[in-house]
Amino acid sequence: MPDARPHWSTYGGGLIFPDSPAARPGAAWRSVQNWLGSLGLDGCAVRSPVAGAGLHLHLPDDLTSQWVPGWDTTGLAQRLALDTAHNPTDLEREIALALLGGPLPVVFPSVEELMSAVRMRRYIVEAARRTVLAFHPRDSRRPEAYWRHDEDNGFTLLPGRRLVDALRAATQPEAGAAPWAFSCSRATEYVMLLGIAQELAHSHAPLLERLEQRCARRAIRSAEFQAAFLREHGSVEAPLPLHYYVPGDRVWFCNPDAPSSDVAGYEGSWLIYLGNGRFGNFWKSDAPYTLAGKCTELFHWRHAVRAGARGIAWIDEDEVARRVRATVSRPEEGRAILASMMRLRGPQGARTAGGCLDATREAPRWVRPGTHDIRFTDT
């Protein structure tokens, strides 16, 4: 029997609420209008018909061309004079508008899930801004007041400790304290999970309790983490535009240079998009990356490979920084580097065929009672 469900990819970008007990189109439209009104965004969403049933919302065409031309969201906050660094409501405005103005549909089972998603993204951005870490691809240390470690189970939550407090302790050291060591992938997992746990405390406490119990038994990390907590937006077949990002996205930058990508920890970089054209820099929190700046830094990894003890290669970060500064002073060189790097990465197994940008972004799954799709085992 043929699948009669709508193929949401045919409806263009914006937000889609399928017709369901959790989201009747008329009620969902009124709820979205009220929510956008609370953000001062009246008139920033229009409806388009959905075959059969459901609700499809997106920015009006004139606002799309003004605010996200060519699906470039990196200048959205500046165009609207949003103070996203100091005003949480402005940050939520940027998130909402980036979602409404997106090139591919984002489906939510209810308006409540949309509101949770926007809050989670805000929490993730706020946590990423405060995160200060030391880079080490293999180091295994966390605050002993919250975490214990063993080789089989990784870092697990100590009995009686709350997950939000433990994640903050690991990623946001007190003033003057030495930062804990992380790889970039594990760092983004902690920051994403912190935002998710904060929202669960607000909207789904029983799921947070179950998550804490699981984190006390065995860490959820790497591929298991992605499957449990994150949803991928875009695909190789339908890539997101190169300049389209929503605050709170987890973004992969691929290193297309084979020799330097063989150095542990330099296969690429996982970053959090902060909004306003900036990506979090966990190692220098007061110096967030621009898209061009990150592409340029990653390009120069190839010029800083050094032979270490016992033949283990490493990257000289001081040399990378020196070359980045030199590139900034030579605009023609910078343009050539960006022409090479600011392209979609090559397919798996052929990374040198493309640039450093990924086709997809990652964001949290649904979290509300009755509609959540976070999935992890209890053992």
Side-chain angles (χ1 to χ4, degrees):
M1 182 176 180
D3 187 350
R5 293 174 299 176
H7 295 283
W8 303 122
S9 61
T10 65
Y11 287 95
L15 305 175
I16 286 182
F17 301 91
D19 186 15
S20 71
R24 295 297 181 189
W29 173 233
R30 290 190 294 273
S31 295
V32 170
Q33 286 182 306
N34 290 337
W35 174 66
L36 290 173
S38 72
L39 293 175
L41 298 178
D42 299 276
C44 290
V46 293
R47 292 186 287 181
S48 291
V50 174
L55 178 66
H56 176 208
L57 304 177
H58 53 90
L59 276 182
D61 290 343
D62 59 333
L63 297 185
T64 299
S65 61
Q66 293 175 46
W67 295 349
V68 285
W71 291 304
D72 181 350
T73 57
T74 60
L76 176 58
Q78 187 173 5
R79 292 184 189 106
L80 297 178
L82 300 177
D83 184 9
T84 58
H86 303 98
N87 186 335
T89 302
D90 272 358
L91 178 54
E92 292 194 6
R93 291 186 181 108
E94 183 180 6
I95 295 166
L97 292 172
L99 289 170
L100 284 165
L104 297 175
V106 182
V107 179
F108 290 100
S110 69
V111 177
E112 289 74 22
E113 281 288 5
L114 167 63
M115 295 166 65
S116 284
V118 171
R119 272 197 303 270
M120 277 189 289
R121 285 178 174 275
R122 191 193 97 203
Y123 296 150
I124 289 165
V125 170
E126 291 169 343
R129 288 176 181 153
R130 300 186 185 108
T131 295
V132 180
L133 305 172
F135 176 72
H136 197 291
R138 298 189 184 90
D139 198 15
S140 296
R141 292 178 297 127
R142 299 288 183 270
E144 294 180 356
Y146 293 91
W147 302 95
R148 60 187 169 196
H149 181 265
D150 67 65
E151 292 300 323
D152 293 331
N153 298 308
F155 286 101
T156 54
L157 192 64
L158 287 175
R161 294 299 188 182
R162 304 312 305 260
L163 183 58
V164 167
D165 296 335
L167 292 167
R168 282 182 176 144
T171 58
Q172 302 173 25
E174 296 180 359
W180 300 95
F182 279 77
S183 67
C184 63
S185 60
R186 197 69 69 238
T188 54
E189 289 174 5
Y190 273 52
V191 170
M192 297 294 281
L193 188 58
L194 176 53
I196 292 168
Q198 286 178 268
E199 178 57 24
L200 290 177
H202 175 84
S203 63
H204 200 166
L207 183 56
L208 175 58
E209 182 178 355
R210 183 181 152 217
L211 174 59
E212 289 178 328
Q213 291 170 355
R214 164 57 199 272
C215 288
R217 287 191 284 270
R218 184 168 62 84
I220 306 174
R221 51 194 171 177
S222 303
E224 184 184 15
F225 182 92
Q226 289 175 290
F229 299 112
L230 304 181
R231 176 176 283 106
E232 194 170 42
H233 297 280
S235 66
V236 173
E237 296 75 24
L240 289 171
L242 300 184
H243 292 80
Y244 177 76
Y245 302 92
V246 182
D249 278 344
R250 188 169 91 138
V251 185
W252 172 246
F253 287 79
C254 173
N255 182 359
D257 175 66
S260 58
S261 70
D262 287 337
V263 179
Y266 290 86
E267 303 85 356
S269 285
W270 283 108
L271 299 179
I272 304 294
Y273 183 61
L274 305 179
N276 199 22
R278 298 294 186 270
F279 297 81
N281 185 345
F282 298 145
W283 330 118
K284 296 179 181 178
S285 60
D286 60 344
Y289 295 107
T290 63
L291 183 60
K294 184 58 186 179
C295 292
T296 302
E297 179 196 75
L298 205 148
F299 175 83
H300 284 304
W301 285 355
R302 68 193 64 191
H303 301 125
V305 181
R306 303 290 183 263
R310 299 185 298 279
I312 299 175
W314 59 285
I315 299 291
D316 184 345
E317 292 282 2
D318 291 336
E319 177 65 11
V320 173
R322 186 190 71 77
R323 286 180 175 266
V324 169
R325 289 193 298 271
T327 296
V328 170
S329 69
R330 297 194 285 263
E332 187 174 344
E333 176 185 298
R335 286 191 290 270
I337 288 172
L338 294 181
S340 169
M341 298 293 281
M342 204 172 283
R343 300 180 294 139
L344 289 176
R345 67 182 180 91
Q348 293 293 338
R351 65 165 60 209
T352 58
C356 70
L357 302 183
D358 205 2
T360 67
R361 321 281 185 259
E362 294 180 348
R365 290 181 170 274
W366 303 329
V367 296
R368 287 277 181 160
T371 54
H372 84 84
D373 64 347
I374 286 178
R375 50 196 191 200
F376 57 87
T377 65
D378 290 320
T379 58

